[in-house]
Amino acid sequence: MTLQRSNPEPNQTLRNTPYDQLKIGDKATYQRTLTERDLVLFATVSGDYNPVHLDETFAAGTQFGERIAHGMWTGSLISAALAMVMPGPGGIYGGQELKFLRPVKLGDTLTVELEVLEKNERRKKALIRTDVINQHGKAVVKGTAEVMPATEDVCVERAHLPNVIIEGM
């Protein structure tokens, strides 16, 4: 049986897939649309103020013609997918290989597609394909992640985060 999961809803209970229940071929997805708020918050938290992300005039003169997302914003969606969906809470993210293929622009809806490729019984780790596809069906990132899923069932309430206000925009 193939596991199919997608984004947890707010106030939802999060459940993992323990290592022993994870099967080669299991798949899951996680989806998110890039907003202005995401772009500004990511720049603030990461300290990456590259004008290609934040300055419309500067970005218009680049090969992209408009502002684009930070590559690692897209990478962070992979982290969210692994933590929230598969293998889920309690897992440890051990490594990532990424290849950035296309820019991500404001309003783009991205789907992280996860698929278990390998399991290492001795180390209790899994290799997961981590591709990110835009709303046009085009890959923007391709990669693989090494994760150490929890060995026990984990069931927790999704954390309630504070509201963040962006001033000066």
Side-chain angles (χ1 to χ4, degrees), residues 72-142:
M72 291 313 296
W73 179 82
T74 306
S76 74
L77 297 185
I78 294 169
S79 178
L82 294 168
M84 302 284 288
V85 182
M86 184 181 79
I92 303 298
Y93 196 177
Q96 179 75 51
E97 290 186 16
L98 294 173
K99 174 100 174 138
F100 297 99
L101 303 171
R102 288 182 174 73
V104 173
K105 299 179 178 183
L106 285 166
D108 281 356
T109 297
L110 303 182
T111 301
V112 179
E113 296 179 346
L114 305 175
E115 180 180 4
V116 179
L117 300 176
E118 299 174 13
K119 289 178 68 178
N120 182 319
E121 294 296 330
R122 184 178 64 78
R123 298 174 66 210
K124 300 292 186 212
K125 291 186 177 185
L127 184 69
I128 298 179
R129 179 180 58 84
T130 57
D131 294 348
V132 184
I133 311 300
N134 68 17
Q135 70 274 15
H136 305 294
K138 304 280 187 181
V140 297
V141 172
K142 286 194 167 280

Side-chain angles (χ1 to χ4, degrees), residues 38-49 53-54 70:
D38 293 328
L39 207 100
V40 171
L41 285 172
F42 194 87
T44 302
V45 171
S46 70
D48 180 349
Y49 297 96
H53 307 305
L54 303 171
H70 302 75

